[in-house]
Amino acid sequence: VGDHYLYDSVLSWTEFLGLFPKRFEKCESGLPRMFAMARGIDGAPALGMKKWLTSNYHYLVPEVDETSKLSPNFDRFLANCKRGVQFHGEAKAVPVILGPVSFARFATIASTSSATKQSLVADLIPVYKDLLIKVKALGVKEIQIHEPALVFDDAELLPHFKSVYPEILPGDVSINMVSFMEDVGEDNYQWLQSENNGVDVVSLDFTRGETLDLVEKYGFHASKTLGAGLIDSRNVWKVIPE
């Protein structure tokens, strides 16, 4: 629940986090500003667009400039999650959150800003920590955290993952970390198997990359649950469920 997006997930989380460049500072917050960032308005061109991982889908790129500062408002997200819990029940409703490391990885930082990817991740930690406490308070039994940046072959990302998890996690609720569209590589896979990262379920893409080879080479931790992605998200219309 909470993963219905009117444009794309990264744009929605950009608005939830209240992180936007100066040209959109006069826009009304919430959906008006989100659509202004998506489509542009007079005097304020839209955010740039990039391909989503290795697919032909796209996302709008968050921009951090010298005026950007986090001003989160998760009311709409939490309301959607609460509605899902009321409809499906606490045992079945699973909130979906775009993880902070991936958000920082997808963002661009202007040369005029003193921010870095490391400082952005550090700033996001208390914001996500507070959010996850509120999500847990809804009574859900599991929270999905999507960290698609796990598939990038980027050595700078692993220290960020280690600084974020389990620091932001509230405890006493199952955490399902999800990646997709490629394997996560040897270093990230071994970190996902760690006992001290706070992750209970590891959901990986088995349609592309070498995920099965990683499982066979390094095994899978007995205390964790493996979520196996068996439907290629690039070609979902070709799947015939049986």
Side-chain angles (χ1 to χ4, degrees):
V1 297
D3 62 340
H4 175 74
Y5 305 114
L6 298 175
Y7 226 90
D8 74 74
S9 62
V10 180
L11 178 63
S12 287
W13 282 91
T14 300
E15 180 57 34
F16 293 154
L17 292 165
L19 194 67
F20 49 87
K22 183 177 181 179
R23 64 184 183 276
F24 297 110
E25 64 182 0
K26 294 183 179 180
C27 294
E28 180 184 350
S29 63
L31 293 179
R33 184 167 57 204
M34 190 185 80
F35 279 100
M37 290 191 288
R39 300 184 295 191
I41 54 176
D42 289 345
L47 297 178
M49 185 179 291
K50 281 189 176 180
K51 282 192 173 184
W52 180 242
L53 304 173
T54 57
S55 76
N56 283 322
Y57 303 117
H58 293 79
Y59 71 95
L60 291 164
V61 181
E63 295 179 20
V64 177
D65 64 16
E66 68 279 6
T67 68
S68 301
K69 61 180 181 180
L70 289 164
S71 51
N73 185 337
F74 296 110
D75 289 351
R76 185 162 60 90
F77 172 74
L78 290 169
N80 287 338
C81 291
K82 184 177 181 179
R83 189 161 51 247
V85 170
Q86 291 171 340
F87 186 82
H88 296 290
E90 296 175 351
K92 292 183 178 180
V94 179
V96 176
I97 292 172
L98 178 63
V101 178
S102 293
F103 182 86
R105 172 62 172 76
F106 293 140
T108 60
I109 298 177
S111 60
T112 54
S113 173
S114 61
T116 63
K117 293 298 177 89
Q118 183 176 358
S119 68
L120 179 55
V121 170
D123 289 344
L124 288 169
I125 286 175
V127 173
Y128 272 82
K129 193 171 186 177
D130 182 64
L131 170 63
L132 283 161
I133 290 172
K134 293 176 180 177
V135 172
K136 177 188 172 183
L138 297 174
V140 297
K141 306 305 180 186
E142 179 181 306
I143 300 172
Q144 273 193 25
I145 301 180
H146 287 197
E147 286 285 12
L150 282 163
V151 305
F152 291 122
D153 184 14
D154 184 349
E156 294 183 0
L157 290 176
L158 188 54
H160 296 328
F161 284 117
K162 290 180 178 179
S163 71
V164 169
Y165 301 100
E167 177 64 23
I168 67 171
L169 303 179
D172 298 321
V173 62
S174 180
I175 299 298
N176 182 351
M177 184 166 288
V178 181
S179 187
F180 33 78
M181 292 190 175
E182 191 54 77
D183 69 68
V184 298
E186 294 194 359
D187 291 341
N188 289 341
Y189 182 83
Q190 291 179 81
W191 171 74
L192 286 168
Q193 301 307 306
S194 170
E195 293 184 2
N196 58 11
N197 59 21
V199 176
D200 304 289
V201 184
V202 179
S203 295
L204 303 172
D205 187 346
F206 280 79
T207 70
R208 300 288 177 111
E210 308 299 331
T211 301
L212 184 57
D213 291 342
L214 291 171
V215 174
E216 291 175 341
K217 181 174 181 179
Y218 295 105
F220 195 83
H221 201 284
S223 68
K224 298 180 186 289
T225 300
L226 174 63
L230 303 178
I231 296 177
D232 189 344
S233 58
R234 300 170 184 80
N235 298 292
V236 293
W237 52 87
K238 290 187 176 181
V239 175
I240 302 175
E242 295 181 355

